[in-house]
Amino acid sequence: NAGVTQTPKFRVLKTGQSMTLLCAQDMNHEYMYWYRQDPGMGLRLIHYSVGEGTTAKGEVPDGYNVSRLKKQNFLLGLESAAPSQTSVYFCASNSPARGMQETQYFGPGTRLLVL
Amino acid sequence: GENVEQHPSTLSVQEGDSAVIKCTYSDSASNYFPWYKQELGKGPQLIIDIRSNVGEKKDQRIAVTLNKTAKHFSLHITETQPEDSAVYFCAASIRSGGSYIPTFGRGTSLIVHP
C-alpha cells in the first residue's frame, strides 16, 4: 500500500496563477482533509470531505476550492494564487465513523511558493 | 467549537532526560486524543493515542495521560534520544454524535541534545 500520496512535491507559482494539488489514498478511507502548515501556526484545516461527492469548509477555506469526485482522490485548487498562500500543504485521510479508525494518515506534503 | 492549547512551543532537553508536553481542550464531549510526531520534511505520523475511558497508556518510552475533569492530557517521553527530535502535535476529537473532525494544537518543537 502506498498510503497517502500527494502531487506535486514542490511548486513555484506567480501571483494570479492557478494550480491543483492532488491527493490520493489507497486505504478506502471515507474522510479526507486538506491542511496548511505555516511556522508557529500548527495544522490549519482548509477543507474536508466525509465521502465521495461531499465537501465542507474548514478553518481557513478562503481562496481554495476542493472536489471529491472519486473516493480515493481529493483535489485542492487555487484559482488565483496569492503570496499569502505560500505554505506547506498536507493531505490526510481516515475513517472515523467506521469503528475505531480515527487515526489520520498524512501525505508527505506539497511545498508551494507564490511569488 | 473545540479549542486545543499546547505547551510549550519549544522544548530543549539533554539526551536521557524526560520530556513532557501538555495540552488542554475545551469541549467536554471530546473523547479521542491522538499525538502525532512530525519529522523534518515529512507528514505527521501517529505515535500514541488515548480514549476518554482510559486514564493512561504506555508504549515503551512514551506515555500519555488524560485528566477528563481538568480537560487536559500530556505526552511523556522518557530516556530521550536524538531521534526523538521533531515537532509533536496533540489533537482532540469527538468520536460519536459529532463531526469527528479533530482540532490540533499548535505543536511543540522538541530538541534533544546529544
Side-chain angles (χ1 to χ4, degrees), chain A residues 31 33 35 37 40 42-43 45 48 90 96-97 99-100 102-104 106-107, chain B residues 32 36 38 41-44 46 49 51 89 95 99-102 104-106:
Chain A
Y31 284 48
Y33 313 76
Y35 294 91
Q37 184 175 32
L43 294 162
L45 183 63
Y48 64 97
F90 287 99
M100 296 187 175
E102 297 98 327
T103 300
Q104 285 181 298
F106 285 83
Chain B
Y32 176 67
Y36 291 86
Q38 184 180 25
K42 298 184 178 180
L46 181 81
D49 57 10
R51 301 181 188 281
F89 291 99
R95 179 171 171 267
S99 66
Y100 300 101
I101 306 303
F104 283 84
R106 290 197 172 189

PDB file of all heavy atoms in Angstrom, chain A residues 31 33 35 37 40 42-43 45 48 90 96-97 99-100 102-104 106-107, chain B residues 32 36 38 41-44 46 49 51 89 95 99-102 104-106:
ATOM      1  N   TYR A  31     -13.071   9.667   4.961  1.00  0.00           N
ATOM      2  CA  TYR A  31     -12.794  11.076   5.190  1.00  0.00           C
ATOM      3  C   TYR A  31     -11.445  11.449   4.575  1.00  0.00           C
ATOM      4  O   TYR A  31     -10.463  10.696   4.671  1.00  0.00           O
ATOM      5  CB  TYR A  31     -12.715  11.385   6.697  1.00  0.00           C
ATOM      6  CG  TYR A  31     -14.027  11.459   7.439  1.00  0.00           C
ATOM      7  CD1 TYR A  31     -15.010  10.482   7.296  1.00  0.00           C
ATOM      8  CD2 TYR A  31     -14.261  12.510   8.321  1.00  0.00           C
ATOM      9  CE1 TYR A  31     -16.193  10.564   8.003  1.00  0.00           C
ATOM     10  CE2 TYR A  31     -15.447  12.592   9.041  1.00  0.00           C
ATOM     11  CZ  TYR A  31     -16.404  11.617   8.880  1.00  0.00           C
ATOM     12  OH  TYR A  31     -17.581  11.696   9.584  1.00  0.00           O
ATOM     13  N   TYR A  33      -8.865  15.168   4.083  1.00  0.00           N
ATOM     14  CA  TYR A  33      -8.667  16.517   4.610  1.00  0.00           C
ATOM     15  C   TYR A  33      -7.525  17.213   3.859  1.00  0.00           C
ATOM     16  O   TYR A  33      -6.574  16.570   3.431  1.00  0.00           O
ATOM     17  CB  TYR A  33      -8.262  16.473   6.087  1.00  0.00           C
ATOM     18  CG  TYR A  33      -9.069  15.584   6.992  1.00  0.00           C
ATOM     19  CD1 TYR A  33      -8.906  14.198   6.977  1.00  0.00           C
ATOM     20  CD2 TYR A  33      -9.970  16.128   7.899  1.00  0.00           C
ATOM     21  CE1 TYR A  33      -9.618  13.384   7.829  1.00  0.00           C
ATOM     22  CE2 TYR A  33     -10.699  15.321   8.767  1.00  0.00           C
ATOM     23  CZ  TYR A  33     -10.513  13.957   8.730  1.00  0.00           C
ATOM     24  OH  TYR A  33     -11.226  13.147   9.578  1.00  0.00           O
ATOM     25  N   TYR A  35      -4.868  20.351   4.846  1.00  0.00           N
ATOM     26  CA  TYR A  35      -4.351  21.270   5.847  1.00  0.00           C
ATOM     27  C   TYR A  35      -3.256  22.124   5.212  1.00  0.00           C
ATOM     28  O   TYR A  35      -2.583  21.712   4.290  1.00  0.00           O
ATOM     29  CB  TYR A  35      -3.716  20.516   7.014  1.00  0.00           C
ATOM     30  CG  TYR A  35      -4.650  19.696   7.866  1.00  0.00           C
ATOM     31  CD1 TYR A  35      -4.898  18.351   7.589  1.00  0.00           C
ATOM     32  CD2 TYR A  35      -5.270  20.266   8.980  1.00  0.00           C
ATOM     33  CE1 TYR A  35      -5.741  17.602   8.386  1.00  0.00           C
ATOM     34  CE2 TYR A  35      -6.117  19.517   9.783  1.00  0.00           C
ATOM     35  CZ  TYR A  35      -6.346  18.187   9.486  1.00  0.00           C
ATOM     36  OH  TYR A  35      -7.177  17.446  10.271  1.00  0.00           O
ATOM     37  N   GLN A  37       0.249  24.215   6.664  1.00  0.00           N
ATOM     38  CA  GLN A  37       1.109  24.341   7.823  1.00  0.00           C
ATOM     39  C   GLN A  37       2.053  25.514   7.628  1.00  0.00           C
ATOM     40  O   GLN A  37       2.841  25.531   6.681  1.00  0.00           O
ATOM     41  CB  GLN A  37       1.921  23.067   8.064  1.00  0.00           C
ATOM     42  CG  GLN A  37       2.763  23.121   9.324  1.00  0.00           C
ATOM     43  CD  GLN A  37       3.458  21.812   9.623  1.00  0.00           C
ATOM     44  OE1 GLN A  37       3.837  21.064   8.727  1.00  0.00           O
ATOM     45  NE2 GLN A  37       3.621  21.513  10.901  1.00  0.00           N
ATOM     46  N   GLY A  40       4.755  28.201  13.368  1.00  0.00           N
ATOM     47  CA  GLY A  40       4.106  28.667  14.579  1.00  0.00           C
ATOM     48  C   GLY A  40       2.593  28.581  14.579  1.00  0.00           C
ATOM     49  O   GLY A  40       1.957  28.934  15.570  1.00  0.00           O
ATOM     50  N   GLY A  42       0.820  25.674  13.473  1.00  0.00           N
ATOM     51  CA  GLY A  42       0.332  24.301  13.519  1.00  0.00           C
ATOM     52  C   GLY A  42      -0.321  23.885  12.213  1.00  0.00           C
ATOM     53  O   GLY A  42       0.038  24.388  11.141  1.00  0.00           O
ATOM     54  N   LEU A  43      -1.282  22.981  12.308  1.00  0.00           N
ATOM     55  CA  LEU A  43      -2.007  22.478  11.138  1.00  0.00           C
ATOM     56  C   LEU A  43      -3.386  23.138  11.106  1.00  0.00           C
ATOM     57  O   LEU A  43      -4.184  22.963  12.022  1.00  0.00           O
ATOM     58  CB  LEU A  43      -2.161  20.965  11.233  1.00  0.00           C
ATOM     59  CG  LEU A  43      -0.869  20.157  11.143  1.00  0.00           C
ATOM     60  CD1 LEU A  43      -1.079  18.757  11.682  1.00  0.00           C
ATOM     61  CD2 LEU A  43      -0.388  20.103   9.696  1.00  0.00           C
ATOM     62  N   LEU A  45      -6.979  23.504   9.148  1.00  0.00           N
ATOM     63  CA  LEU A  45      -7.838  22.771   8.218  1.00  0.00           C
ATOM     64  C   LEU A  45      -8.415  23.717   7.164  1.00  0.00           C
ATOM     65  O   LEU A  45      -9.047  24.719   7.498  1.00  0.00           O
ATOM     66  CB  LEU A  45      -8.957  22.078   8.991  1.00  0.00           C
ATOM     67  CG  LEU A  45      -9.913  21.215   8.199  1.00  0.00           C
ATOM     68  CD1 LEU A  45      -9.185  20.037   7.569  1.00  0.00           C
ATOM     69  CD2 LEU A  45     -11.043  20.714   9.103  1.00  0.00           C
ATOM     70  N   TYR A  48     -12.508  19.757   4.006  1.00  0.00           N
ATOM     71  CA  TYR A  48     -12.502  18.321   4.228  1.00  0.00           C
ATOM     72  C   TYR A  48     -13.691  17.682   3.511  1.00  0.00           C
ATOM     73  O   TYR A  48     -14.591  18.388   3.024  1.00  0.00           O
ATOM     74  CB  TYR A  48     -12.521  17.977   5.724  1.00  0.00           C
ATOM     75  CG  TYR A  48     -13.761  18.414   6.470  1.00  0.00           C
ATOM     76  CD1 TYR A  48     -14.804  17.522   6.704  1.00  0.00           C
ATOM     77  CD2 TYR A  48     -13.871  19.701   6.976  1.00  0.00           C
ATOM     78  CE1 TYR A  48     -15.932  17.909   7.397  1.00  0.00           C
ATOM     79  CE2 TYR A  48     -14.995  20.104   7.669  1.00  0.00           C
ATOM     80  CZ  TYR A  48     -16.021  19.203   7.889  1.00  0.00           C
ATOM     81  OH  TYR A  48     -17.140  19.597   8.576  1.00  0.00           O
ATOM     82  N   PHE A  90      -0.693  19.695   3.469  1.00  0.00           N
ATOM     83  CA  PHE A  90      -0.770  18.278   3.789  1.00  0.00           C
ATOM     84  C   PHE A  90      -2.184  17.762   3.552  1.00  0.00           C
ATOM     85  O   PHE A  90      -3.163  18.406   3.914  1.00  0.00           O
ATOM     86  CB  PHE A  90      -0.390  18.019   5.241  1.00  0.00           C
ATOM     87  CG  PHE A  90       1.074  18.172   5.516  1.00  0.00           C
ATOM     88  CD1 PHE A  90       1.560  19.338   6.079  1.00  0.00           C
ATOM     89  CD2 PHE A  90       1.962  17.153   5.205  1.00  0.00           C
ATOM     90  CE1 PHE A  90       2.911  19.501   6.326  1.00  0.00           C
ATOM     91  CE2 PHE A  90       3.322  17.309   5.442  1.00  0.00           C
ATOM     92  CZ  PHE A  90       3.791  18.480   6.002  1.00  0.00           C
ATOM     93  N   PRO A  96     -13.218   7.672  10.570  1.00  0.00           N
ATOM     94  CA  PRO A  96     -13.586   7.740  11.991  1.00  0.00           C
ATOM     95  C   PRO A  96     -14.958   7.179  12.305  1.00  0.00           C
ATOM     96  O   PRO A  96     -15.222   6.785  13.438  1.00  0.00           O
ATOM     97  CB  PRO A  96     -13.523   9.245  12.286  1.00  0.00           C
ATOM     98  CG  PRO A  96     -13.776   9.894  10.977  1.00  0.00           C
ATOM     99  CD  PRO A  96     -13.117   9.003   9.964  1.00  0.00           C
ATOM    100  N   ALA A  97     -15.827   7.123  11.295  1.00  0.00           N
ATOM    101  CA  ALA A  97     -17.171   6.616  11.558  1.00  0.00           C
ATOM    102  C   ALA A  97     -17.230   5.094  11.469  1.00  0.00           C
ATOM    103  O   ALA A  97     -18.248   4.489  11.773  1.00  0.00           O
ATOM    104  CB  ALA A  97     -18.161   7.235  10.575  1.00  0.00           C
ATOM    105  N   GLY A  99     -15.997   2.106  13.082  1.00  0.00           N
ATOM    106  CA  GLY A  99     -15.289   1.531  14.224  1.00  0.00           C
ATOM    107  C   GLY A  99     -14.245   2.490  14.755  1.00  0.00           C
ATOM    108  O   GLY A  99     -14.366   3.697  14.616  1.00  0.00           O
ATOM    109  N   MET A 100     -13.189   1.992  15.342  1.00  0.00           N
ATOM    110  CA  MET A 100     -12.154   2.828  15.954  1.00  0.00           C
ATOM    111  C   MET A 100     -11.033   3.090  14.946  1.00  0.00           C
ATOM    112  O   MET A 100      -9.920   2.602  15.096  1.00  0.00           O
ATOM    113  CB  MET A 100     -11.630   2.157  17.206  1.00  0.00           C
ATOM    114  CG  MET A 100     -12.688   2.019  18.288  1.00  0.00           C
ATOM    115  SD  MET A 100     -12.034   1.408  19.833  1.00  0.00           S
ATOM    116  CE  MET A 100     -13.493   1.512  20.876  1.00  0.00           C
ATOM    117  N   GLU A 102      -9.977   6.333  13.914  1.00  0.00           N
ATOM    118  CA  GLU A 102      -9.831   7.782  13.869  1.00  0.00           C
ATOM    119  C   GLU A 102      -8.445   8.243  13.437  1.00  0.00           C
ATOM    120  O   GLU A 102      -8.252   9.399  13.091  1.00  0.00           O
ATOM    121  CB  GLU A 102     -10.130   8.409  15.233  1.00  0.00           C
ATOM    122  CG  GLU A 102     -11.551   8.211  15.720  1.00  0.00           C
ATOM    123  CD  GLU A 102     -11.666   7.055  16.686  1.00  0.00           C
ATOM    124  OE1 GLU A 102     -10.923   6.055  16.544  1.00  0.00           O
ATOM    125  OE2 GLU A 102     -12.507   7.142  17.601  1.00  0.00           O
ATOM    126  N   THR A 103      -7.466   7.351  13.504  1.00  0.00           N
ATOM    127  CA  THR A 103      -6.105   7.761  13.168  1.00  0.00           C
ATOM    128  C   THR A 103      -6.057   8.368  11.777  1.00  0.00           C
ATOM    129  O   THR A 103      -6.526   7.787  10.812  1.00  0.00           O
ATOM    130  CB  THR A 103      -5.147   6.553  13.196  1.00  0.00           C
ATOM    131  OG1 THR A 103      -5.151   5.987  14.498  1.00  0.00           O
ATOM    132  CG2 THR A 103      -3.736   6.973  12.815  1.00  0.00           C
ATOM    133  N   GLN A 104      -5.476   9.569  11.696  1.00  0.00           N
ATOM    134  CA  GLN A 104      -5.299  10.208  10.406  1.00  0.00           C
ATOM    135  C   GLN A 104      -3.960   9.789   9.820  1.00  0.00           C
ATOM    136  O   GLN A 104      -2.945   9.766  10.509  1.00  0.00           O
ATOM    137  CB  GLN A 104      -5.340  11.726  10.553  1.00  0.00           C
ATOM    138  CG  GLN A 104      -6.731  12.277  10.778  1.00  0.00           C
ATOM    139  CD  GLN A 104      -6.711  13.779  10.897  1.00  0.00           C
ATOM    140  OE1 GLN A 104      -6.087  14.322  11.797  1.00  0.00           O
ATOM    141  NE2 GLN A 104      -7.395  14.469   9.999  1.00  0.00           N
ATOM    142  N   PHE A 106      -1.268  10.895   7.052  1.00  0.00           N
ATOM    143  CA  PHE A 106      -0.893  12.094   6.321  1.00  0.00           C
ATOM    144  C   PHE A 106      -0.002  11.764   5.122  1.00  0.00           C
ATOM    145  O   PHE A 106       0.797  10.827   5.162  1.00  0.00           O
ATOM    146  CB  PHE A 106      -0.133  13.059   7.231  1.00  0.00           C
ATOM    147  CG  PHE A 106      -1.008  13.776   8.217  1.00  0.00           C
ATOM    148  CD1 PHE A 106      -1.367  13.180   9.412  1.00  0.00           C
ATOM    149  CD2 PHE A 106      -1.473  15.056   7.946  1.00  0.00           C
ATOM    150  CE1 PHE A 106      -2.182  13.838  10.327  1.00  0.00           C
ATOM    151  CE2 PHE A 106      -2.281  15.736   8.854  1.00  0.00           C
ATOM    152  CZ  PHE A 106      -2.640  15.123  10.048  1.00  0.00           C
ATOM    153  N   GLY A 107      -0.131  12.588   4.094  1.00  0.00           N
ATOM    154  CA  GLY A 107       0.778  12.512   2.966  1.00  0.00           C
ATOM    155  C   GLY A 107       2.087  13.217   3.293  1.00  0.00           C
ATOM    156  O   GLY A 107       2.227  13.817   4.359  1.00  0.00           O
TER     157      GLY A 107
ATOM    158  N   TYR B  32     -11.456  11.435  21.983  1.00  0.00           N
ATOM    159  CA  TYR B  32     -10.326  10.762  21.345  1.00  0.00           C
ATOM    160  C   TYR B  32      -9.186  11.757  21.252  1.00  0.00           C
ATOM    161  O   TYR B  32      -9.372  12.875  20.757  1.00  0.00           O
ATOM    162  CB  TYR B  32     -10.721  10.260  19.955  1.00  0.00           C
ATOM    163  CG  TYR B  32      -9.568   9.638  19.193  1.00  0.00           C
ATOM    164  CD1 TYR B  32      -8.996   8.443  19.615  1.00  0.00           C
ATOM    165  CD2 TYR B  32      -9.047  10.261  18.060  1.00  0.00           C
ATOM    166  CE1 TYR B  32      -7.937   7.886  18.927  1.00  0.00           C
ATOM    167  CE2 TYR B  32      -7.991   9.714  17.369  1.00  0.00           C
ATOM    168  CZ  TYR B  32      -7.442   8.515  17.814  1.00  0.00           C
ATOM    169  OH  TYR B  32      -6.386   7.968  17.132  1.00  0.00           O
ATOM    170  N   TYR B  36       0.729  13.173  17.416  1.00  0.00           N
ATOM    171  CA  TYR B  36       1.437  12.937  16.166  1.00  0.00           C
ATOM    172  C   TYR B  36       2.844  13.500  16.258  1.00  0.00           C
ATOM    173  O   TYR B  36       3.078  14.534  16.878  1.00  0.00           O
ATOM    174  CB  TYR B  36       0.711  13.617  14.990  1.00  0.00           C
ATOM    175  CG  TYR B  36      -0.625  12.988  14.646  1.00  0.00           C
ATOM    176  CD1 TYR B  36      -1.786  13.383  15.310  1.00  0.00           C
ATOM    177  CD2 TYR B  36      -0.718  12.005  13.669  1.00  0.00           C
ATOM    178  CE1 TYR B  36      -3.007  12.804  14.999  1.00  0.00           C
ATOM    179  CE2 TYR B  36      -1.944  11.429  13.351  1.00  0.00           C
ATOM    180  CZ  TYR B  36      -3.073  11.838  14.027  1.00  0.00           C
ATOM    181  OH  TYR B  36      -4.292  11.263  13.718  1.00  0.00           O
ATOM    182  N   GLN B  38       6.046  14.784  13.869  1.00  0.00           N
ATOM    183  CA  GLN B  38       6.390  15.209  12.528  1.00  0.00           C
ATOM    184  C   GLN B  38       7.890  15.442  12.422  1.00  0.00           C
ATOM    185  O   GLN B  38       8.425  16.379  13.007  1.00  0.00           O
ATOM    186  CB  GLN B  38       5.648  16.488  12.129  1.00  0.00           C
ATOM    187  CG  GLN B  38       5.905  16.898  10.687  1.00  0.00           C
ATOM    188  CD  GLN B  38       5.170  18.161  10.302  1.00  0.00           C
ATOM    189  OE1 GLN B  38       4.834  18.990  11.147  1.00  0.00           O
ATOM    190  NE2 GLN B  38       4.904  18.321   9.019  1.00  0.00           N
ATOM    191  N   GLY B  41      10.575  17.651   7.117  1.00  0.00           N
ATOM    192  CA  GLY B  41      10.306  17.343   5.713  1.00  0.00           C
ATOM    193  C   GLY B  41       9.297  16.237   5.488  1.00  0.00           C
ATOM    194  O   GLY B  41       9.113  15.799   4.343  1.00  0.00           O
ATOM    195  N   LYS B  42       8.628  15.787   6.544  1.00  0.00           N
ATOM    196  CA  LYS B  42       7.661  14.693   6.414  1.00  0.00           C
ATOM    197  C   LYS B  42       6.301  15.098   6.942  1.00  0.00           C
ATOM    198  O   LYS B  42       6.146  16.125   7.598  1.00  0.00           O
ATOM    199  CB  LYS B  42       8.165  13.451   7.151  1.00  0.00           C
ATOM    200  CG  LYS B  42       9.466  12.890   6.605  1.00  0.00           C
ATOM    201  CD  LYS B  42       9.835  11.624   7.336  1.00  0.00           C
ATOM    202  CE  LYS B  42      11.112  11.015   6.756  1.00  0.00           C
ATOM    203  NZ  LYS B  42      11.492   9.756   7.458  1.00  0.00           N
ATOM    204  N   GLY B  43       5.311  14.263   6.671  1.00  0.00           N
ATOM    205  CA  GLY B  43       3.994  14.491   7.225  1.00  0.00           C
ATOM    206  C   GLY B  43       3.902  13.937   8.639  1.00  0.00           C
ATOM    207  O   GLY B  43       4.682  13.078   9.036  1.00  0.00           O
ATOM    208  N   PRO B  44       2.960  14.431   9.441  1.00  0.00           N
ATOM    209  CA  PRO B  44       2.776  13.913  10.809  1.00  0.00           C
ATOM    210  C   PRO B  44       2.419  12.429  10.796  1.00  0.00           C
ATOM    211  O   PRO B  44       1.764  11.946   9.873  1.00  0.00           O
ATOM    212  CB  PRO B  44       1.621  14.754  11.351  1.00  0.00           C
ATOM    213  CG  PRO B  44       1.614  15.994  10.513  1.00  0.00           C
ATOM    214  CD  PRO B  44       2.042  15.546   9.159  1.00  0.00           C
ATOM    215  N   LEU B  46       1.082   9.244  13.578  1.00  0.00           N
ATOM    216  CA  LEU B  46       0.582   8.912  14.909  1.00  0.00           C
ATOM    217  C   LEU B  46       1.623   8.143  15.710  1.00  0.00           C
ATOM    218  O   LEU B  46       2.240   7.201  15.212  1.00  0.00           O
ATOM    219  CB  LEU B  46      -0.676   8.065  14.798  1.00  0.00           C
ATOM    220  CG  LEU B  46      -1.311   7.683  16.141  1.00  0.00           C
ATOM    221  CD1 LEU B  46      -2.141   8.840  16.661  1.00  0.00           C
ATOM    222  CD2 LEU B  46      -2.172   6.428  16.009  1.00  0.00           C
ATOM    223  N   ASP B  49      -2.194   7.236  21.091  1.00  0.00           N
ATOM    224  CA  ASP B  49      -3.494   7.898  21.268  1.00  0.00           C
ATOM    225  C   ASP B  49      -4.152   7.354  22.524  1.00  0.00           C
ATOM    226  O   ASP B  49      -3.749   6.322  23.069  1.00  0.00           O
ATOM    227  CB  ASP B  49      -4.397   7.714  20.047  1.00  0.00           C
ATOM    228  CG  ASP B  49      -4.648   6.242  19.697  1.00  0.00           C
ATOM    229  OD1 ASP B  49      -4.288   5.352  20.497  1.00  0.00           O
ATOM    230  OD2 ASP B  49      -5.184   5.979  18.604  1.00  0.00           O
ATOM    231  N   ARG B  51      -8.190   7.175  24.585  1.00  0.00           N
ATOM    232  CA  ARG B  51      -9.626   7.452  24.539  1.00  0.00           C
ATOM    233  C   ARG B  51     -10.092   7.861  25.926  1.00  0.00           C
ATOM    234  O   ARG B  51      -9.423   7.609  26.923  1.00  0.00           O
ATOM    235  CB  ARG B  51     -10.371   6.209  24.040  1.00  0.00           C
ATOM    236  CG  ARG B  51      -9.904   5.799  22.662  1.00  0.00           C
ATOM    237  CD  ARG B  51     -10.622   4.590  22.102  1.00  0.00           C
ATOM    238  NE  ARG B  51      -9.980   4.151  20.868  1.00  0.00           N
ATOM    239  CZ  ARG B  51     -10.165   4.719  19.706  1.00  0.00           C
ATOM    240  NH1 ARG B  51     -10.990   5.737  19.593  1.00  0.00           N
ATOM    241  NH2 ARG B  51      -9.530   4.272  18.628  1.00  0.00           N
ATOM    242  N   PHE B  89       2.439  17.129  17.792  1.00  0.00           N
ATOM    243  CA  PHE B  89       1.118  17.751  17.803  1.00  0.00           C
ATOM    244  C   PHE B  89       0.149  16.912  18.625  1.00  0.00           C
ATOM    245  O   PHE B  89       0.110  15.695  18.483  1.00  0.00           O
ATOM    246  CB  PHE B  89       0.540  17.842  16.387  1.00  0.00           C
ATOM    247  CG  PHE B  89       1.251  18.817  15.490  1.00  0.00           C
ATOM    248  CD1 PHE B  89       2.198  18.372  14.578  1.00  0.00           C
ATOM    249  CD2 PHE B  89       0.952  20.172  15.543  1.00  0.00           C
ATOM    250  CE1 PHE B  89       2.849  19.265  13.741  1.00  0.00           C
ATOM    251  CE2 PHE B  89       1.596  21.064  14.704  1.00  0.00           C
ATOM    252  CZ  PHE B  89       2.553  20.609  13.813  1.00  0.00           C
ATOM    253  N   ARG B  95     -15.765  11.309  18.943  1.00  0.00           N
ATOM    254  CA  ARG B  95     -15.920  10.116  18.120  1.00  0.00           C
ATOM    255  C   ARG B  95     -17.363   9.849  17.722  1.00  0.00           C
ATOM    256  O   ARG B  95     -17.635   9.360  16.644  1.00  0.00           O
ATOM    257  CB  ARG B  95     -15.376   8.889  18.843  1.00  0.00           C
ATOM    258  CG  ARG B  95     -15.538   7.598  18.053  1.00  0.00           C
ATOM    259  CD  ARG B  95     -14.800   6.450  18.678  1.00  0.00           C
ATOM    260  NE  ARG B  95     -15.143   5.206  18.012  1.00  0.00           N
ATOM    261  CZ  ARG B  95     -16.103   4.401  18.420  1.00  0.00           C
ATOM    262  NH1 ARG B  95     -16.786   4.687  19.498  1.00  0.00           N
ATOM    263  NH2 ARG B  95     -16.382   3.306  17.761  1.00  0.00           N
ATOM    264  N   SER B  99     -18.841  15.651  14.619  1.00  0.00           N
ATOM    265  CA  SER B  99     -18.329  15.697  13.259  1.00  0.00           C
ATOM    266  C   SER B  99     -17.087  14.853  13.060  1.00  0.00           C
ATOM    267  O   SER B  99     -16.663  14.671  11.934  1.00  0.00           O
ATOM    268  CB  SER B  99     -18.006  17.143  12.873  1.00  0.00           C
ATOM    269  OG  SER B  99     -16.921  17.611  13.664  1.00  0.00           O
ATOM    270  N   TYR B 100     -16.479  14.349  14.122  1.00  0.00           N
ATOM    271  CA  TYR B 100     -15.248  13.573  14.072  1.00  0.00           C
ATOM    272  C   TYR B 100     -14.039  14.381  13.644  1.00  0.00           C
ATOM    273  O   TYR B 100     -12.937  13.860  13.608  1.00  0.00           O
ATOM    274  CB  TYR B 100     -15.353  12.378  13.103  1.00  0.00           C
ATOM    275  CG  TYR B 100     -16.417  11.373  13.421  1.00  0.00           C
ATOM    276  CD1 TYR B 100     -17.625  11.387  12.731  1.00  0.00           C
ATOM    277  CD2 TYR B 100     -16.212  10.401  14.373  1.00  0.00           C
ATOM    278  CE1 TYR B 100     -18.604  10.454  13.005  1.00  0.00           C
ATOM    279  CE2 TYR B 100     -17.183   9.457  14.640  1.00  0.00           C
ATOM    280  CZ  TYR B 100     -18.383   9.492  13.953  1.00  0.00           C
ATOM    281  OH  TYR B 100     -19.352   8.571  14.214  1.00  0.00           O
ATOM    282  N   ILE B 101     -14.213  15.632  13.256  1.00  0.00           N
ATOM    283  CA  ILE B 101     -13.082  16.404  12.742  1.00  0.00           C
ATOM    284  C   ILE B 101     -12.192  16.812  13.902  1.00  0.00           C
ATOM    285  O   ILE B 101     -12.638  17.494  14.823  1.00  0.00           O
ATOM    286  CB  ILE B 101     -13.572  17.652  11.987  1.00  0.00           C
ATOM    287  CG1 ILE B 101     -14.580  17.263  10.906  1.00  0.00           C
ATOM    288  CG2 ILE B 101     -12.380  18.404  11.396  1.00  0.00           C
ATOM    289  CD1 ILE B 101     -14.061  16.262   9.899  1.00  0.00           C
ATOM    290  N   PRO B 102     -10.915  16.411  13.881  1.00  0.00           N
ATOM    291  CA  PRO B 102     -10.030  16.726  15.011  1.00  0.00           C
ATOM    292  C   PRO B 102      -9.592  18.186  15.003  1.00  0.00           C
ATOM    293  O   PRO B 102      -9.494  18.810  13.951  1.00  0.00           O
ATOM    294  CB  PRO B 102      -8.829  15.796  14.784  1.00  0.00           C
ATOM    295  CG  PRO B 102      -8.803  15.571  13.315  1.00  0.00           C
ATOM    296  CD  PRO B 102     -10.241  15.597  12.862  1.00  0.00           C
ATOM    297  N   PHE B 104      -6.363  20.452  16.249  1.00  0.00           N
ATOM    298  CA  PHE B 104      -4.956  20.282  16.600  1.00  0.00           C
ATOM    299  C   PHE B 104      -4.434  21.417  17.474  1.00  0.00           C
ATOM    300  O   PHE B 104      -4.874  22.569  17.351  1.00  0.00           O
ATOM    301  CB  PHE B 104      -4.095  20.231  15.334  1.00  0.00           C
ATOM    302  CG  PHE B 104      -4.158  18.923  14.611  1.00  0.00           C
ATOM    303  CD1 PHE B 104      -5.175  18.660  13.714  1.00  0.00           C
ATOM    304  CD2 PHE B 104      -3.202  17.945  14.835  1.00  0.00           C
ATOM    305  CE1 PHE B 104      -5.246  17.443  13.040  1.00  0.00           C
ATOM    306  CE2 PHE B 104      -3.255  16.730  14.169  1.00  0.00           C
ATOM    307  CZ  PHE B 104      -4.282  16.482  13.278  1.00  0.00           C
ATOM    308  N   GLY B 105      -3.473  21.086  18.330  1.00  0.00           N
ATOM    309  CA  GLY B 105      -2.683  22.109  18.996  1.00  0.00           C
ATOM    310  C   GLY B 105      -1.681  22.684  18.013  1.00  0.00           C
ATOM    311  O   GLY B 105      -1.541  22.171  16.887  1.00  0.00           O
ATOM    312  N   ARG B 106      -0.966  23.729  18.426  1.00  0.00           N
ATOM    313  CA  ARG B 106      -0.058  24.412  17.509  1.00  0.00           C
ATOM    314  C   ARG B 106       1.294  23.734  17.382  1.00  0.00           C
ATOM    315  O   ARG B 106       2.135  24.165  16.587  1.00  0.00           O
ATOM    316  CB  ARG B 106       0.127  25.862  17.932  1.00  0.00           C
ATOM    317  CG  ARG B 106      -1.111  26.701  17.710  1.00  0.00           C
ATOM    318  CD  ARG B 106      -0.797  28.171  17.736  1.00  0.00           C
ATOM    319  NE  ARG B 106      -1.964  28.959  17.332  1.00  0.00           N
ATOM    320  CZ  ARG B 106      -1.921  30.262  17.108  1.00  0.00           C
ATOM    321  NH1 ARG B 106      -0.798  30.940  17.252  1.00  0.00           N
ATOM    322  NH2 ARG B 106      -3.012  30.910  16.745  1.00  0.00           N
TER     323      ARG B 106
END
